[in-house]
Amino acid sequence: MAFLSGLCAFPITPTDSDGRVDTAALRQLIARLCTAKVDSIGLLGSTGTYMYLSRQQRRRTLSEALDETGGGIPVIVGVGALRTDEAIKHARDAKALGAAAGLLAAVSYAPLTDDEVFEHFSSVARRSGLPIVIYDNPGTTHFRFTPALVARLAQVPGIVAIKNPTDGGDAILGHLQDQRQIVPKGFSIGYSGDWNATQAMIAGADTWYSVLGGILPEPCMGIVRAAQQGDHAQARRIDATLVPLWELFKTYSSLRVVYTLAEVLDICRAAPPLPIMPLPIAAKHQVADALARLRTAAVS
């Protein structure tokens, strides 16, 4: 089995306007994921707004989350930074606190070359000793990992997995098959992009890195378990109930929608860090309506 498999759920990091972590709300979010028995937790990913938090705030968030899990669920934590030395510090912090792996993106203000990204990832893996997951997120970083670069990085000791974007459901199977040919056995291949994730799991991906799973883990776990058991019809049936949320993700961004879901579910009333604005009232009503329809579908 791959190092990472199943559902990796990505919660928000609730903070106040000054960036102070709301530890009570964070623990409530983590407790929900533990109750749902997700396979791993993706802390301080893009949904966890890691790039908006200081090193101290990141450490506090990880410490609280690990304490809440009690070591029962692996925690994968974002360790990205603009500078390689800063990313190494974040990765060392994560290792010292007990994270299972670090999620590392090619974040930069200046465009990066493949060789620069290779050195960045190799240095973080080598100098921190923390297992590293490649985070390919071109929509945010404007850098896309080529097959040649993935193949090089997959041979670096300590780089153990990749979180791929999904451009379209029809392309996933071919992409997965091609990527399997260039990485070592046991190297975990996973996908984000929630509205295409069911197709990825049916195609045989190891891991679904899920935004919705961080706030509504139960239906996402249902999709993953059905796909793992070969019940593709059931996986698609559950996915179909989530289409209203997928459409809202596409319209407003998954980040803004899950902050609203946290409010509707009465977990917390945190807003994303400025300059990201919360959804307007009309859009929040759409999210609440979509959640109500999902609950009705789950009962029927």
Side-chain angles (χ1 to χ4, degrees):
M1 181 180 290
F3 174 77
L4 287 171
S5 61
L7 181 68
C8 185
F10 281 70
I12 63 171
T13 307
T15 62
D16 65 15
S17 59
D18 293 321
R20 289 186 292 263
V21 178
D22 181 343
T23 56
L26 175 67
R27 282 179 171 270
Q28 188 174 350
L29 287 162
I30 299 301
R32 288 167 58 88
L33 303 181
C34 293
T35 299
K37 295 182 171 58
V38 301
D39 297 292
S40 59
I41 294 171
L43 196 71
L44 295 172
S46 295
T47 304
T49 56
Y50 71 105
M51 287 298 290
Y52 296 85
L53 300 174
S54 69
R55 182 180 179 186
Q56 181 180 5
Q57 289 163 342
R58 293 200 208 184
R59 285 179 58 90
R60 176 74 181 278
T61 300
L62 178 57
S63 177
E64 293 286 341
L66 288 170
D67 186 63
E68 186 65 35
T69 67
I73 296 176
V75 174
I76 317 306
V77 63
V79 296
L82 287 169
R83 294 169 55 101
T84 300
D85 58 336
E86 291 297 322
I88 291 168
K89 291 175 184 176
H90 291 310
R92 285 175 171 169
D93 288 346
K95 181 177 174 62
L97 288 168
L103 184 65
L104 181 61
V107 181
S108 183
Y109 181 83
L112 297 173
T113 68
D114 280 13
D115 285 342
E116 288 168 338
V117 171
F118 179 82
E119 290 302 323
H120 179 66
F121 275 69
S122 300
S123 296
V124 174
R126 182 180 69 254
R127 295 177 59 185
S128 71
L130 180 72
I132 296 297
V133 179
I134 300 167
Y135 185 8
D136 188 0
N137 188 16
T140 297
T141 64
H142 309 294
F143 181 89
R144 183 176 288 274
F145 287 78
T146 63
L149 180 56
V150 172
R152 288 176 67 193
L153 287 170
Q155 300 300 321
V156 174
I159 297 181
V160 298
I162 185 167
K163 177 181 184 286
N164 289 295
T166 53
D167 295 325
D170 294 341
I172 293 171
L173 179 59
H175 179 273
L176 177 61
Q177 291 174 337
D178 290 344
Q179 199 163 78
R180 289 256 186 250
Q181 298 300 313
I182 63 173
V183 299
K185 184 177 180 180
F187 189 93
S188 175
I189 299 177
Y191 291 86
S192 57
D194 277 2
W195 50 87
N196 287 319
T198 295
Q199 190 59 37
M201 295 307 294
I202 288 172
D206 295 304
T207 311
W208 174 12
Y209 296 93
S210 177
V211 175
L212 188 65
I215 191 73
L216 292 175
E218 291 81 4
C220 301
M221 285 293 292
I223 290 171
V224 167
R225 293 295 180 256
Q228 289 174 330
Q229 293 163 13
D231 191 347
H232 298 170
Q234 173 68 356
R236 291 191 175 101
R237 187 195 69 77
I238 300 171
D239 181 66
T241 69
L242 299 173
V243 167
L245 286 171
W246 300 156
E247 293 304 316
L248 291 170
F249 275 20
K250 295 174 188 177
T251 301
Y252 299 115
S253 85
S254 59
L255 179 65
R256 294 179 180 89
V257 172
V258 293
Y259 267 89
T260 300
L261 284 170
E263 181 178 331
V264 172
L265 291 166
D266 201 27
I267 296 172
C268 63
R269 297 186 178 275
L274 293 171
I276 304 169
M277 297 290 288
L279 291 182
I281 295 298
K284 287 185 175 183
H285 288 321
Q286 289 180 271
V287 174
D289 289 345
L291 180 61
R293 292 198 300 275
L294 176 61
R295 286 170 163 169
T296 299
V299 171
S300 61

